[in-house]
Amino acid sequence: MSHPTPQSDSPWLSTEEIDSARQRLPIMYVDAVPVRLDDLGEVTAVGLLLRVTSTGEINRSLVSGRVLYHERIRTALLRHLEKDLGPLALPRLPASPQPFTVAEYFPTPGVSPFFDPRQHAISLAYVVPVEGDCHPQQDALEFSWLTPQEARDPRMQAEIGGGQALLLLQALAHLGH
Amino acid sequence: MSHPTPQSDSPWLSTEEIDSARQRLPIMYVDAVPVRLDDLGEVTAVGLLLRVTSTGEINRSLVSGRVLYHERIRTALLRHLEKDLGPLALPRLPASPQPFTVAEYFPTPGVSPFFDPRQHAISLAYVVPVEGDCHPQQDALEFSWLTPQEARDPRMQAEIGGGQALLLLQALAHLGH
Amino acid sequence: MSHPTPQSDSPWLSTEEIDSARQRLPIMYVDAVPVRLDDLGEVTAVGLLLRVTSTGEINRSLVSGRVLYHERIRTALLRHLEKDLGPLALPRLPASPQPFTVAEYFPTPGVSPFFDPRQHAISLAYVVPVEGDCHPQQDALEFSWLTPQEARDPRMQAEIGGGQALLLLQALAHLGH
Amino acid sequence: MSHPTPQSDSPWLSTEEIDSARQRLPIMYVDAVPVRLDDLGEVTAVGLLLRVTSTGEINRSLVSGRVLYHERIRTALLRHLEKDLGPLALPRLPASPQPFTVAEYFPTPGVSPFFDPRQHAISLAYVVPVEGDCHPQQDALEFSWLTPQEARDPRMQAEIGGGQALLLLQALAHLGH
């Protein structure tokens, strides 16, 4: 899975401490599916990042990251969207705290459809309309808008890591596709 | 309840025909709760119309109206929002067809919390962020933005007709209030 | 699509009248996806009917039917589940009126993913756990429990009419599959 | 707030370690609103525990508890329901992982409507129909079924700690009340 490495966003915990906590507690994440909508609210495109993972692989992923101590979920969503898509993305954060699903990433493959070798992460998944210009930041090589049809293509699905291909399909189903 | 009179929006059905159908079939509606959101998606205000009803009463109401034959739900939502709030309202239609609740309006009081003397209406209820300027149109006298606290005030609640006071509280609960 | 013919369930409207209304108003439906759950609430099977449609074709379908005048949505759901699955099915009706999605069936193919040659139907879709024994009734030839994997098989999907194959996939996505 | 003390349910973490983690990471919880439903799925009662909190106060609360490392959310829900309501409660776990809301408990009052002096907890909230007999266990003094009207009574609301009164109202709103 392509969750970004945590050091950069965790002033409150040393790398050793977060590594230790990752062995002992489920870690709270948010996953955002960036979408373009037309005037009727119909999805016209979904956004995927192309990233080098910590193990050196290249894969595609959603916007994803940890919720910090004493941080609101909304603040974490905005922070990760700005970190990955840049300051001009203009994400429209959801009005309701209800996620469209909850993804449980386990370090053991097969416990659930979601896999993260580093940790047990529980992620609240939201669809986020994005109205501005997206420019990949930091460890992201590229950000691409795909039509729902392109996103469902099996070859594209195979490029997405950690079970997020399923999460993307669940988001499209939630949007009526 | 302050559902607008149907003539204006029904080129496909005469007044007599729709009156007849209203006695025999549930009529499909949409209810929209207009909201203002801050940058984090947190609701800062909800919008209510002040209207003269068909029986001459003055009350407050949500944006509400019928879905026409062969009309998409999204198109009906946009049509009623533009009809009630004017062409500069810039509503952000929901990306998902899933309503936050379904309100069943019965012509008999007490069957459900929702009441409409003219018909059995089933209404899909959506929260709709509105970013532009709202100007009441047609039979609406006024459009007001209220804070969530003001909207929950019992006196304000008492001015809302047909059970839509409950619908507004359900929307606020859905938004985390 | 395999919506059952309406005569049997409509004491309030003659066949001519409902045929006329079908040309002029969206007709309100419910769709139920019957599921078996294990003790943890995980779906182990989904139920599909095998039916002869009004045009003489054989296809698979969900439990589906019209909401009558002055009928609660819950009552309509229970009525159609008992009509299709028999009196011993023991369906567990949803506690919340919020459907997992809304399917818009149009008489014109391509307007939406859902198609019904007879009418414009708007259907509230619910997942309904069923704990008892199911015996197909009336025009249904057979009722089968399929694993989620079997239900997603493209050959099985091809046997399902009117876009309900998509509705089934949306239900599975909503359930975390 | 009346989250149960964690020692009893955490074989994987010593008391000191969990206390340390609570100062540095959001802790993952589940909240369950036990309900009785009639044959149509309509809620007839909601269940509340009467508990002595860690500070010696007596208050009412929902079923609530931590998600352990490598534990499924469903397993955590079932474990806490059985721990609080006893082995004969027969809870019907939700088929979908989508919670009706997410409650963010902060150790600082006022950051959100939810408060927990011991930690920053993020809790997935589910409505859980319960069909068997409930007997309070361990630190719970009593378990009571209340009608929705009784549960909304301001005096009852005042007996519920940590913001769970709001969570209960949000659950009732989600159920159409």
Side-chain angles (χ1 to χ4, degrees):
Chain A
M1 185 193 173
S2 56
H3 283 147
T5 49
Q7 298 92 310
S8 54
D9 63 6
S10 65
W12 291 279
L13 222 59
S14 73
T15 307
E16 293 73 32
E17 285 169 326
I18 179 82
D19 283 350
S20 164
R22 276 167 205 269
Q23 307 308 317
R24 292 146 180 262
L25 282 174
I27 306 294
M28 190 71 217
Y29 268 71
V30 285
D31 276 319
V33 182
V35 296
R36 292 282 200 209
L37 303 179
D38 68 15
D39 286 352
L40 287 168
E42 197 95 60
V43 62
T44 56
V46 297
L48 283 172
L49 292 159
L50 193 70
R51 252 208 269 249
V52 183
T53 69
S54 50
T55 58
E57 289 171 272
I58 290 180
N59 67 17
R60 293 190 191 267
S61 69
L62 303 173
V63 172
S64 183
R66 198 154 70 77
V67 181
L68 299 180
Y69 180 72
H70 220 284
E71 185 181 40
R72 294 293 307 259
I73 292 166
R74 300 176 174 288
T75 312
L77 262 178
L78 185 59
R79 181 169 57 84
H80 290 293
L81 285 159
E82 291 190 339
K83 178 166 61 70
D84 283 347
L85 307 185
L88 306 174
L90 299 180
R92 303 288 171 187
L93 292 201
S96 169
Q98 186 182 37
F100 72 88
T101 198
V102 178
E104 304 177 70
Y105 295 89
F106 284 94
T108 317
V111 178
S112 84
F114 302 100
F115 174 60
D116 186 341
R118 297 170 307 148
Q119 62 191 343
H120 173 201
I122 298 178
S123 186
L124 307 178
Y126 297 92
V127 170
V128 181
V130 163
E131 300 191 347
D133 293 325
C134 299
H135 300 289
Q137 307 283 311
Q138 301 196 17
D139 60 345
L141 304 176
E142 194 186 295
F143 177 79
S144 318
W145 289 112
L146 308 172
T147 67
Q149 287 70 27
E150 290 167 345
R152 266 197 304 263
D153 186 280
R155 276 167 307 182
M156 180 57 69
Q157 291 275 307
E159 293 180 18
I160 305 173
Q164 288 193 339
L166 171 62
L167 204 55
L168 182 56
L169 292 178
Q170 289 175 327
L172 288 171
H174 176 66
L175 300 178
H177 276 265
Chain B
M1 187 194 170
S2 54
H3 283 147
T5 50
Q7 297 92 312
S8 53
D9 62 6
S10 66
W12 291 279
L13 221 59
S14 74
T15 307
E16 292 74 31
E17 285 169 325
I18 179 80
D19 284 349
S20 165
R22 276 166 204 271
Q23 308 306 318
R24 292 145 179 264
L25 282 174
I27 306 295
M28 190 71 216
Y29 269 71
V30 285
D31 277 318
V33 182
V35 295
R36 293 280 200 212
L37 303 180
D38 67 17
D39 286 352
L40 287 168
E42 197 95 58
V43 61
T44 56
V46 297
L48 283 171
L49 292 158
L50 192 70
R51 252 208 269 252
V52 183
T53 71
S54 51
T55 57
E57 289 171 273
I58 290 178
N59 67 18
R60 294 190 190 267
S61 69
L62 303 173
V63 172
S64 183
R66 198 154 70 77
V67 181
L68 299 179
Y69 180 72
H70 220 283
E71 185 181 39
R72 295 293 307 259
I73 292 166
R74 299 175 175 289
T75 313
L77 261 178
L78 185 59
R79 180 169 58 82
H80 289 294
L81 284 159
E82 290 190 339
K83 178 166 61 66
D84 283 348
L85 307 186
L88 306 174
L90 301 181
R92 303 289 171 186
L93 291 200
S96 169
Q98 185 183 37
F100 72 87
T101 198
V102 178
E104 304 177 70
Y105 295 90
F106 285 94
T108 317
V111 178
S112 83
F114 303 100
F115 174 61
D116 186 342
R118 297 167 310 146
Q119 63 193 341
H120 173 199
I122 297 177
S123 187
L124 307 178
Y126 297 93
V127 170
V128 181
V130 163
E131 299 191 348
D133 293 326
C134 299
H135 300 287
Q137 308 283 311
Q138 301 196 19
D139 60 346
L141 304 176
E142 193 186 296
F143 177 78
S144 319
W145 290 112
L146 308 172
T147 66
Q149 287 69 26
E150 289 166 347
R152 265 197 304 264
D153 186 281
R155 276 167 306 181
M156 181 57 68
Q157 290 275 308
E159 293 179 20
I160 305 173
Q164 287 193 342
L166 172 62
L167 204 55
L168 183 56
L169 292 178
Q170 289 175 327
L172 287 171
H174 176 65
L175 300 179
H177 276 264
Chain C
M1 185 193 170
S2 56
H3 283 149
T5 49
Q7 297 93 312
S8 54
D9 62 6
S10 66
W12 291 278
L13 221 59
S14 74
T15 306
E16 293 74 30
E17 285 170 325
I18 179 80
D19 283 350
S20 165
R22 276 167 204 271
Q23 308 306 318
R24 292 146 180 263
L25 282 174
I27 306 295
M28 189 71 216
Y29 269 72
V30 284
D31 277 318
V33 182
V35 295
R36 292 280 199 211
L37 303 180
D38 67 16
D39 286 352
L40 287 169
E42 198 95 60
V43 61
T44 57
V46 298
L48 283 171
L49 292 158
L50 193 70
R51 251 207 273 248
V52 183
T53 70
S54 51
T55 58
E57 289 171 273
I58 290 178
N59 67 17
R60 294 191 190 266
S61 70
L62 302 174
V63 172
S64 182
R66 198 155 68 78
V67 181
L68 300 179
Y69 180 73
H70 220 283
E71 186 181 40
R72 295 294 306 259
I73 291 166
R74 300 175 174 288
T75 313
L77 261 179
L78 185 60
R79 180 169 58 82
H80 290 293
L81 285 159
E82 291 190 338
K83 177 166 62 65
D84 283 347
L85 307 186
L88 306 174
L90 299 181
R92 303 288 170 185
L93 292 201
S96 169
Q98 186 183 37
F100 73 88
T101 198
V102 178
E104 304 177 70
Y105 295 90
F106 284 95
T108 317
V111 179
S112 84
F114 303 100
F115 173 61
D116 186 340
R118 298 168 309 149
Q119 63 193 342
H120 173 199
I122 297 177
S123 187
L124 307 178
Y126 298 93
V127 170
V128 181
V130 163
E131 299 191 348
D133 292 325
C134 299
H135 300 288
Q137 309 281 311
Q138 300 196 19
D139 61 347
L141 304 176
E142 195 187 293
F143 177 79
S144 318
W145 290 112
L146 308 172
T147 66
Q149 287 70 25
E150 290 167 347
R152 266 197 303 263
D153 185 281
R155 278 168 305 182
M156 181 56 69
Q157 291 275 308
E159 294 180 19
I160 306 173
Q164 288 193 341
L166 172 61
L167 203 55
L168 183 55
L169 292 178
Q170 289 174 326
L172 287 172
H174 176 65
L175 300 178
H177 276 264
Chain D
M1 185 194 173
S2 56
H3 283 148
T5 49
Q7 299 92 311
S8 53
D9 61 7
S10 65
W12 291 279
L13 222 57
S14 73
T15 307
E16 293 73 32
E17 285 169 326
I18 179 80
D19 283 349
S20 164
R22 276 167 205 269
Q23 308 306 319
R24 291 146 179 263
L25 283 174
I27 305 295
M28 190 71 216
Y29 269 72
V30 285
D31 277 319
V33 182
V35 295
R36 292 283 200 208
L37 303 179
D38 67 16
D39 286 352
L40 287 168
E42 197 95 61
V43 62
T44 56
V46 297
L48 283 172
L49 292 159
L50 193 69
R51 253 209 268 251
V52 183
T53 70
S54 51
T55 58
E57 288 171 274
I58 289 179
N59 68 16
R60 293 189 190 268
S61 70
L62 303 173
V63 173
S64 183
R66 199 153 70 78
V67 182
L68 300 179
Y69 180 72
H70 221 281
E71 185 180 40
R72 294 293 308 259
I73 292 167
R74 299 175 174 289
T75 312
L77 261 178
L78 185 59
R79 180 169 58 82
H80 289 293
L81 285 159
E82 291 190 338
K83 177 167 61 69
D84 283 346
L85 307 185
L88 307 174
L90 299 181
R92 303 289 170 186
L93 292 201
S96 169
Q98 186 183 37
F100 72 88
T101 198
V102 178
E104 303 176 70
Y105 295 89
F106 284 94
T108 317
V111 178
S112 84
F114 303 101
F115 174 60
D116 186 341
R118 297 169 308 148
Q119 62 191 343
H120 173 200
I122 298 178
S123 186
L124 307 178
Y126 297 93
V127 170
V128 181
V130 163
E131 299 191 347
D133 292 325
C134 299
H135 300 288
Q137 308 282 311
Q138 300 195 21
D139 60 345
L141 305 176
E142 194 187 294
F143 177 79
S144 319
W145 289 112
L146 308 172
T147 66
Q149 287 69 26
E150 289 167 347
R152 265 197 303 264
D153 186 281
R155 277 167 306 182
M156 180 58 68
Q157 292 275 306
E159 294 180 19
I160 305 173
Q164 288 193 341
L166 171 63
L167 204 56
L168 182 56
L169 293 178
Q170 289 174 326
L172 287 171
H174 177 66
L175 300 178
H177 276 265

